[in-house]
Amino acid sequence: MLRRLRAAGLSDVGDASVYGTLRRLYRGGALTTYVMPSDEGPHRRYYGITARGVAVLDDARAVWTDFSHNLNALLATPLEVPSP
Amino acid sequence: MTQALPPEPGAYLDALRRALSDLPAEERDDLLLDVEASITEAASDSTEGLLARFGPPDRFAAELRSAAGIPLRAAPTQPESGALRAVERVVSRLGSSPIVARARLALRELAPVWWLVRGYAACAVLLVAVGGHWDLLRPFVPLFGSPELGAAIVVVAAIASVTAGFYARHHGPRGRRRTGWAALNVGLAIVAVPALIHALKAPIQSEQITLAVPPRILTPPLRVNLAPAARRSRPGSGTR
């Protein structure tokens, strides 16, 4: 997940933000988790998305699309500098 | 010593654990499970140091907290007692100030005085519970049958209260019992106010006794036990 974020150019997103966010989404019922015990090294936790998580994602995607569309449109309009 | 650079994953994790030490252990371990895997992995297959990759542990912990929606230095995992926890937080913040610390030390020295008062207040509660009354000539003596028995009960209650105080100081009650103990103390402190006001009243001289002034210390109003001198006079007849 971190690799995907980095590859997408979001290199400022730290590990802590990702883990913290996963935790919050899990508590909000958007994710399921299970822990895979490991003989060598620490246990690994895997995350899966729930139906609620899909709904949250769709909602967030719509909000973001709307917001970014509007802001892009606003920024695309050339500034009208009043002539002196 | 969080300033010392932790090069080992173990040390880094310990530093994180310290920074999250106010969280319930379960919550903290849960939060750190993923981080642990990631840090161990990074330490084993990376040439860059853990600090370069993850930054200082304190900052990492703060970021983890904010992303997880956990308020800084707070434990909101028990919403059913949110108000109580908020009070506890305020109290614990106050408790760290040096003035409060000194005051607490002084109060600790004075605690035995409170224990005596507490025993007395417990007697007052018992007196009201059994429907007894105070000695009119010596307002500080509760009449449990006789003034002698009342005085004996006060002494026993005081000894018991002081013993309980020392016991609680050394083997302090924990958890829910602690809350119950604190509630009992607060209750008795409230009772102690009218009880002490009554006890410190000037004794009524037998000549002054009229039926008009019943010594009310607690609701419901107590029945008045008049001193022997007055008992012989009839209600409404006033001072002899």
Side-chain angles (χ1 to χ4, degrees):
Chain A
M1 188 176 289
L2 277 159
R3 267 196 292 275
R4 267 186 75 183
L5 286 170
R6 305 259 147 84
L10 296 167
S11 54
D12 282 350
V13 180
D15 297 54
S17 295
V18 171
Y19 291 130
T21 305
L22 284 172
R23 194 80 207 123
R24 186 153 46 84
L25 289 172
Y26 168 71
R27 272 211 306 268
L31 298 176
T32 55
T33 72
Y34 62 93
V35 175
M36 187 74 93
S38 150
D39 291 337
E40 46 206 82
H43 299 340
R44 290 201 150 275
R45 182 154 49 195
Y46 292 85
Y47 290 89
I49 195 163
T50 62
R52 187 179 151 71
V54 173
V56 169
L57 179 61
D58 286 346
D59 203 40
R61 205 197 300 270
V63 168
W64 174 259
T65 307
D66 195 39
F67 173 75
S68 60
H69 175 81
N70 291 343
L71 201 62
N72 284 339
L74 187 66
L75 291 173
T77 322
L79 276 181
E80 288 169 27
V81 182
S83 46
Chain B
M1 298 295 149
T2 45
Q3 295 319 101
L5 304 185
E8 295 299 317
Y12 195 93
L13 280 165
D14 283 346
L16 283 182
R17 230 168 252 131
R18 271 199 301 280
L20 299 168
S21 58
D22 57 310
L23 298 182
E26 201 182 327
E27 166 100 19
R28 186 184 58 221
D29 292 347
D30 219 29
L31 203 55
L32 287 179
L33 185 79
D34 302 326
V35 181
E36 196 177 337
S38 166
I39 285 174
T40 322
E41 195 175 276
S44 65
D45 65 16
S46 157
T47 46
E48 57 175 348
L50 284 176
L51 278 178
R53 167 80 199 277
F54 297 106
D58 285 353
R59 202 198 298 158
F60 189 97
E63 197 180 329
L64 197 60
R65 250 179 223 276
S66 86
I70 300 168
L72 209 63
R73 289 275 151 203
T77 51
Q78 282 154 296
E80 79 276 8
S81 58
L84 197 67
R85 298 214 140 238
V87 171
E88 273 177 5
R89 271 203 298 285
V90 170
V91 168
S92 77
R93 209 164 294 165
L94 280 177
S96 53
S97 111
I99 300 166
V100 174
R102 244 173 290 149
R104 281 182 57 158
L105 213 62
L107 283 177
R108 195 180 153 87
E109 299 285 314
L110 288 174
V113 177
W114 157 239
W115 297 338
L116 288 172
V117 172
R118 182 175 63 183
Y120 191 76
C123 286
V125 172
L126 186 65
L127 188 70
V128 172
V130 301
H133 12 72
W134 301 86
D135 192 329
L136 271 195
L137 298 177
R138 291 152 297 190
F140 50 92
V141 176
L143 286 174
F144 288 100
S146 70
E148 288 78 13
L149 183 59
I153 288 178
V154 167
V155 171
V156 169
I159 292 171
S161 174
V162 170
T163 309
F166 275 116
Y167 185 85
R169 177 176 283 186
H170 295 295
H171 323 267
R174 294 276 173 266
R176 291 200 176 277
R177 288 189 54 209
R178 184 176 183 162
T179 315
W181 183 245
L184 183 67
N185 268 311
V186 170
L188 287 175
I190 292 168
V191 172
V193 175
L196 283 181
I197 290 173
H198 175 80
L200 298 175
K201 266 203 308 217
I204 297 173
Q205 303 302 314
S206 50
E207 291 78 32
Q208 296 177 333
I209 294 172
T210 67
L211 289 173
V213 218
R216 289 165 168 244
I217 64 144
L218 292 166
T219 51
L222 302 168
R223 275 177 296 120
V224 187
N225 180 42
L226 295 173
R231 204 177 284 153
R232 266 175 264 123
S233 71
R234 300 187 47 207
S237 66
T239 314
R240 288 199 304 154

